[in-house]
Amino acid sequence: MASLDIIEQALTEKLIDSPFDFPQLPPHTLTVRQLAAKSSVHLNEIVLLIEQDKGLSKHLEKLADSPLYRQPLPPYDLKGAIVRIGIKATSNVILTYVLKNLFTCHSYLARKYQGEIWQHSLVFAALSSILAKHVGTIDTDKALLSSLLQDVGSLFLVTQLDDYPDFVSVPQNVRALCNQLNQVVGAKLIDAWQLTNSFKNVIKTKDFWAFSASKKYNLIDHTLIARYIFLYQNPRTKPTPELSFLTSFQKSPFQYWRHADPMRIYATIYAETIQLVDMLGGNAKGILIPPPRSAFGKY
């Protein structure tokens, strides 16, 4: 069996040191993003593009009635769903939708690992977006997409392991490889898709609890706090530093909450996060642990 170092070197040469054609986003995804970036765009143009994909249309209508955007009445149609979500947010939601099926694995084990990475990413993204909704200073759609993209490098990396069946049969190997190369491969994908550097920066600062840059609470700070809470709620992944010691926390709106304990914050957003995960077609079982009753209380 090839060692971790050999596989890492081979994939580094293939994906990073040499020109490589990374999978591209579907044309309608790019077109919608281009339209959404314009200062003025006719909503019907976007509706006509999206309604060609029935699965995506239903996904947007469900999301518009999710905890993030819910109003007394559900959206009447696709156009109503887009109006409720917002054009720019819709473009990010579409990217989220296509990511799930963008990378193809052929072996059973590779598909299994990819499924696990995707579920964790989706649950984390849901938690981050619901947290953004309660904070109010971070766009919920940006929080969702940036958190989902944080492990996109790993999602793609496992597709490259079909040729190494012995290596992929050892879970520790796959995790170690993803930890080593996720950041650089994820950045390559962000560049290939012509997304903004803000998403790349979120990937680079993953688990960098001591991060400190902008004086203003920003997307990186929010994603760090969301990831801290995501890890904290599960005893197996609980981070070691205190949340209050994080620079990102010290300039966040959470410092003004009545109860800024991470478990109390988690309890506040738990129910809505579970609902959103379900709306997005994910499964939070075993990933999000129900908070103890003692953790519930107003912030």
Side-chain angles (χ1 to χ4, degrees), residues 71-86:
Q71 294 179 10
L73 295 175
Y76 181 73
D77 54 13
L78 175 61
K79 187 174 182 178
I82 295 173
V83 169
R84 181 175 297 184
I85 295 171

Side-chain angles (χ1 to χ4, degrees), residues 21-297:
D21 292 328
F22 286 96
Q24 293 299 309
L25 299 173
H28 71 271
T29 303
L30 295 174
T31 304
V32 170
R33 292 189 69 82
Q34 289 166 358
L35 289 172
K38 292 182 177 181
S39 56
S40 60
V41 58
H42 201 292
L43 181 60
N44 287 339
E45 291 182 76
I46 293 179
V47 173
L48 287 172
L49 273 172
I50 296 175
E51 66 183 6
Q52 296 174 31
D53 187 330
K54 299 300 181 185
L56 177 57
S57 299
K58 290 182 179 179
H59 177 75
L60 286 169
E61 290 177 26
K62 284 181 63 177
L63 184 62
D65 197 34
S66 76
L68 276 183
Y69 305 103
R70 183 172 295 144
Q71 294 179 10
L73 295 175
Y76 181 73
D77 54 13
L78 175 61
K79 187 174 182 178
I82 295 173
V83 169
R84 181 175 297 184
I85 295 171
I87 292 176
K88 289 186 177 180
T90 295
S91 71
N92 285 339
V93 171
I94 292 172
L95 180 52
T96 302
Y97 178 84
V98 303
L99 273 176
K100 182 179 181 181
N101 301 309
L102 187 61
F103 307 133
T104 304
C105 293
H106 299 291
S107 73
Y108 165 76
L109 281 176
R111 288 197 302 272
K112 179 175 179 291
Y113 290 127
Q114 190 181 61
E116 290 173 355
I117 295 168
W118 172 256
Q119 287 298 331
H120 277 79
S121 295
L122 191 63
V123 173
F124 170 47
L127 183 147
S128 181
S129 62
I130 293 294
L131 192 65
K133 174 189 170 186
H134 282 262
V135 169
T137 58
I138 301 293
D139 289 341
T140 56
D141 59 293
K142 285 187 178 179
L144 181 81
L145 184 55
S146 64
S147 300
L148 191 68
L149 289 171
Q150 200 165 66
D151 280 320
V152 71
S154 297
L155 278 173
F156 177 70
L157 274 169
V158 292
T159 69
Q160 303 299 301
L161 299 179
D162 287 329
D163 295 332
Y164 307 99
D166 291 336
F167 180 87
V168 81
S169 66
V170 183
Q172 297 92 321
N173 285 341
V174 179
R175 295 192 193 100
L177 181 69
C178 288
N179 287 337
Q180 290 290 99
L181 297 181
N182 173 68
Q183 183 182 120
V184 65
V185 173
K188 285 278 188 178
L189 286 163
I190 298 298
D191 288 338
W193 297 336
Q194 299 179 2
L195 300 178
T196 62
N197 283 335
S198 60
F199 297 120
K200 192 190 300 185
N201 292 335
V202 165
I203 295 175
K204 289 180 178 178
T205 54
K206 177 184 176 182
D207 296 342
F208 181 22
W209 306 125
F211 170 80
S212 178
S214 170
K215 292 183 179 180
K216 187 178 180 181
Y217 185 70
N218 60 24
L219 185 63
I220 297 176
D221 295 312
H222 178 80
T223 309
L224 276 169
I225 292 178
R227 182 158 178 81
Y228 185 99
I229 293 171
F230 174 73
L231 296 174
Y232 186 91
Q233 56 84 30
N234 193 320
R236 294 175 297 177
T237 57
K238 193 173 180 178
T240 51
E242 293 289 336
L243 179 62
S244 59
F245 292 166
L246 272 59
T247 304
S248 294
F249 176 84
Q250 292 167 2
K251 57 181 174 178
S252 76
F254 298 109
Q255 62 181 308
Y256 303 112
W257 282 27
R258 183 178 178 183
H259 299 290
D261 174 84
M263 187 54 72
R264 294 293 289 270
I265 296 173
Y266 173 65
T268 300
I269 63 174
Y270 173 75
E272 288 181 295
T273 300
I274 292 293
Q275 291 180 52
L276 183 56
V277 170
D278 183 62
M279 287 283 187
L280 293 173
N283 184 359
K285 186 177 181 180
I287 301 175
L288 294 184
I289 309 300
R293 288 189 177 184
S294 59
F296 288 93

